[in-house]
Amino acid sequence: MVSVNLRKGPVRLAPSILSADFSCLAKEVQEVEAGGADWLHLDVMDGAFVPNITFGVPVVAAVRAHTRLPLDVHLMIERPELYVADFCRAGADLITVHVETAPHLHRLVTQIKGAGAAVGVALNPATPLSTVAEILPDIDLLLIMTVNPGFGGQSFIPSGLDKLRRAAELLARKAPGVLLEVDGGITEDNARQVVQAGAEVLVAGSAVFGQPERKAALTRLRQAIEA
Ligand code: DX5
Ligand code: ZN
């Protein structure tokens, strides 16, 4: 059973634990939950698809035990089909896979749904929107990367704004129920711009967990969006 609300609505904020203090993850996660986060974003990296290694299934399960927030699991790994069932069992509500890692994307999307999670598909900055045109009716979320995946704290790639606009137009035409998520370099200074471009879920690592006061950071992001 998918336990994440995928309906269109107010913009969701999804803090990425990549910038959290891993030595006290339960406390970190509870702080953003109390501070008004909508989803929690978990960046899984394998050191192969991206040049960094983060964490895997056991950490997702550990986080699941300490929060009621929907878990938005972003897989930056090769051969994702080998692991999606385990991530679902660990408590992922939504699993996002990269189109660049999946020659048989339709099969993978079907597999994730069958395992009981909602499905997102992510595009690297240099990957054209046309690569997802055929799969849009089958997915729940489209993730536009506005940094090259691998690390937190990188700067927003400016061409991402136009890509978001074009993605929003494409979704409006071909798959109006699909949520548009943006990930990479989101700050108080560009949050409003990405929302105006069509983003509906904002991932924020350093702009939330990188700040001393997480509740205040979430409030500032929310105010920036609504300003
Ligand atoms: C990058 C990850 C992001 C990262 C974002 O590969 O997918 O989710 O945590 O971090 P910031 O918000 O600091 O760019
Ligand atoms: Zn991410």
Side-chain angles (χ1 to χ4, degrees), residues 97-100 105 109 120-124 127-139 141-144 163 167 170-171 174-175 178 180:
V97 291
H98 272 259
V99 65
E100 301 87 359
L105 186 58
V109 163
V121 171
L123 297 179
N124 281 341
T127 304
L129 285 170
S130 57
T131 57
V132 291
E134 306 301 325
I135 201 73
L136 291 179
D138 299 303
I139 65 176
L141 174 142
L142 178 65
L143 170 54
I144 301 297
K163 193 174 185 183
L170 185 65
L171 291 180
K174 291 196 93 169
V178 172
L180 185 58

Side-chain angles (χ1 to χ4, degrees), residues 69-112:
L69 289 176
L71 300 187
D72 167 22
V73 176
H74 178 190
L75 296 184
M76 287 159 276
I77 62 175
E78 291 183 353
R79 305 293 311 273
E81 69 277 8
L82 299 181
Y83 309 101
V84 294
D86 288 342
F87 281 108
C88 281
R89 271 193 292 273
D93 297 287
L94 182 136
I95 294 187
T96 295
V97 291
H98 272 259
V99 65
E100 301 87 359
T101 64
H104 305 289
L105 186 58
H106 185 274
R107 178 182 287 147
L108 180 59
V109 163
T110 306
Q111 184 193 356
I112 295 170

